[in-house]
Amino acid sequence: MVNIFFRIIFSFLLVMLLLLLLMNDKVALGQDGDPVGSTQGGGGREMVPALFIFGDSLIDNANYYPYGIDFNGGPTGRFSNGYTMVDEIAELLGLPLIPAYSEASGAQVLHGVNYASATTGILDITGRNFVGRVPFDQQIRNFQNTLDQVTDNLGASDVSNAIARCIFFVGMGSNDYLNNYLRPNYNTKNQYNAQQYADLLVSEYSRQLTTLYNLGERKFVLAGLGRMGCIPSILAQNQMDRCSEEVNQLVMPFNANVKTMINNLNANLPGARFTFIDIARMFEDLLTNYRSYGFSVIDRGCCGIGRNGGQITCLPFQTPCANREQYVFWDAFHPTEAVNIMFGRKALYGDQSVVYPMNIQQLTSL
């Protein structure tokens, strides 16, 4: 009887020890249930502790109807009719939707934070006509504030180990063209040709990403620029009603430079793993084969005013198109949820033709 009693006690203590270990693990980044509300992750195991997001309106939140309206069971408050690409990536990683920096506090930050800001860019002067923008340098400082907050609660060693396993998604550069180089109130075009401007941007970009690396991050996902000459805003300026190859060619040196930068950073920063999502290639495939993907409208925004639905972007309380699932573009600048979901899945599972040198799923296993 004594032996049986001690076996029971030993088994009980072993179970309690395992529970305590699991609870301690869950207190660390990304394991404390659902800190951002009722929207759950992908339903599977969390592949990473957290997802931290930096960028512009392609992955930022919007705050007025009809942006982000819950048309398809998706989240509210996005520059889309539902999910952005990072929403889909978060769900596939088993994480809940990532809260915006302005709304995240306490336990909410444990699965990650979205620092993205509309109209902003790599350069601090980009988007200066718009109020409330948060340039990339400031987004990095905001992340450091989050890091300090979490470190105070969890301790430097635990946070350092967790941060190194998190995914940092960065989508920057589009506004450095749309709200800088291509704007008549900027002198940038007169100062730099396409290659010189790409060199300037990527030099700054490399410095900024190295700052994040020095803060402890090791796994980076960088989104390239898409076929910007084909967005409704640019189409609306083209009397020929077709993609502007001039704009498409303008941004090509940026993507090429970013790929070279990734190779250099992977080689020179110990433990760093950078991967590149080739958005331009994804968009080229989509616009060529759009019908096979279930789309029928590729040259106008679902919600917008004027030629191609792109002369004025979606206004507050404007009624969008009824068949939005058939549109590639939601407004003058941004893709629909259907496109965002497709691109998010390709980023996670795609081959090296669209994600280089590895996809996000492979990155999480390192």
Side-chain angles (χ1 to χ4, degrees):
M1 290 293 293
V2 173
N3 287 338
I4 293 174
F5 174 79
F6 278 111
R7 287 176 183 172
I8 293 172
I9 294 297
F10 177 79
S11 298
F12 174 78
L13 291 174
L14 182 61
V15 170
M16 292 302 294
L17 178 60
L18 289 172
L19 286 174
L20 285 171
L21 288 172
L22 287 171
M23 289 175 67
N24 286 336
D25 188 52
K26 288 183 178 182
V27 170
L29 284 169
Q31 295 291 332
D32 68 329
D34 182 26
V36 293
S38 60
T39 303
Q40 299 295 324
R45 177 182 62 87
E46 291 177 2
M47 297 168 65
V48 292
L51 173 65
F52 293 93
I53 301 161
F54 305 81
D56 52 35
S57 58
L58 288 169
I59 46 181
D60 183 21
N61 298 341
N63 60 0
Y64 63 82
Y65 179 97
Y67 279 99
I69 297 304
D70 198 1
F71 289 131
N72 302 310
T76 59
R78 300 292 193 269
F79 280 96
S80 173
N81 59 312
Y83 269 29
T84 63
M85 185 166 68
V86 292
D87 290 328
E88 178 66 8
I89 290 171
E91 182 171 280
L92 293 174
L93 290 173
L95 298 171
L97 298 177
I98 307 302
Y101 175 70
S102 60
E103 301 170 355
S105 61
Q108 285 185 313
V109 306
L110 297 180
H111 277 119
V113 178
N114 188 336
Y115 301 93
S117 173
T119 74
T120 197
I122 294 168
L123 303 180
D124 282 353
I125 63 168
T126 291
R128 65 188 175 194
N129 296 337
F130 298 94
V131 177
R133 65 191 173 86
V134 183
F136 192 19
D137 279 323
Q138 182 58 53
Q139 292 182 32
I140 295 171
R141 288 191 287 271
N142 290 344
F143 167 70
Q144 190 158 13
N145 291 338
T146 301
L147 196 60
D148 291 342
Q149 172 191 341
V150 175
T151 301
D152 288 343
N153 293 329
L154 301 180
S157 178
D158 287 342
V159 171
S160 177
N161 290 333
I163 287 294
R165 294 185 292 113
C166 296
I167 296 292
F168 276 48
F169 185 102
V170 186
M172 281 288 183
S174 63
N175 283 310
D176 292 294
Y177 290 92
L178 293 172
N179 286 310
N180 187 329
Y181 196 90
L182 293 171
R183 299 281 292 190
N185 59 324
Y186 280 81
N187 194 41
T188 311
K189 184 184 291 187
N190 298 323
Q191 295 176 305
Y192 306 98
N193 63 31
Q195 186 60 60
Q196 291 169 338
Y197 190 55
D199 293 345
L200 171 68
L201 290 177
V202 175
S203 174
E204 280 295 287
Y205 205 14
S206 179
R207 174 188 62 80
Q208 293 160 332
L209 293 169
T210 302
T211 299
L212 283 173
Y213 170 86
N214 290 333
L215 290 172
E217 173 49 20
R218 294 297 181 266
K219 298 181 179 182
F220 295 84
V221 177
L222 308 184
L225 302 185
R227 300 275 290 174
M228 290 172 54
C230 300
I231 66 174
S233 174
I234 299 298
L235 288 174
Q237 302 170 36
N238 186 347
Q239 297 296 329
M240 301 298 291
D241 198 29
R242 63 189 179 199
C243 296
S244 168
E245 284 308 309
E246 180 183 0
V247 173
N248 285 335
Q249 292 296 319
L250 172 66
V251 302
M252 282 182 65
F254 176 84
N255 285 337
N257 280 15
V258 170
K259 287 185 178 181
T260 301
M261 177 192 70
I262 282 176
N263 291 334
N264 291 336
L265 293 175
N266 281 334
N268 296 320
L269 297 180
R273 295 291 185 269
F274 286 81
T275 197
F276 175 76
I277 306 174
D278 196 335
I279 302 293
R281 186 180 289 269
M282 289 184 184
F283 251 116
E284 186 173 3
D285 172 57
L286 172 58
L287 296 178
T288 301
N289 303 298
Y290 64 96
R291 293 196 184 277
S292 66
Y293 287 112
F295 297 98
S296 60
V297 184
I298 63 171
D299 59 355
R300 63 180 298 106
C302 172
C303 188
I305 294 173
R307 188 184 301 117
N308 302 96
Q311 288 180 294
I312 301 175
T313 198
C314 195
L315 296 175
F317 300 102
Q318 182 180 346
T319 302
C321 66
N323 56 334
R324 48 197 158 267
E325 71 282 351
Q326 296 178 27
Y327 278 66
V328 166
F329 294 102
W330 166 245
D331 62 9
F333 304 98
H334 307 98
T336 56
E337 178 186 59
V339 173
N340 287 328
I341 289 174
M342 178 194 306
F343 285 5
R345 292 175 181 174
K346 287 188 176 185
L348 209 82
Y349 305 120
D351 61 29
Q352 287 193 356
S353 69
V354 291
V355 196
Y356 170 86
M358 69 191 74
N359 62 39
I360 297 176
Q361 183 183 47
Q362 292 165 335
L363 182 64
T364 64
S365 66
L366 297 177

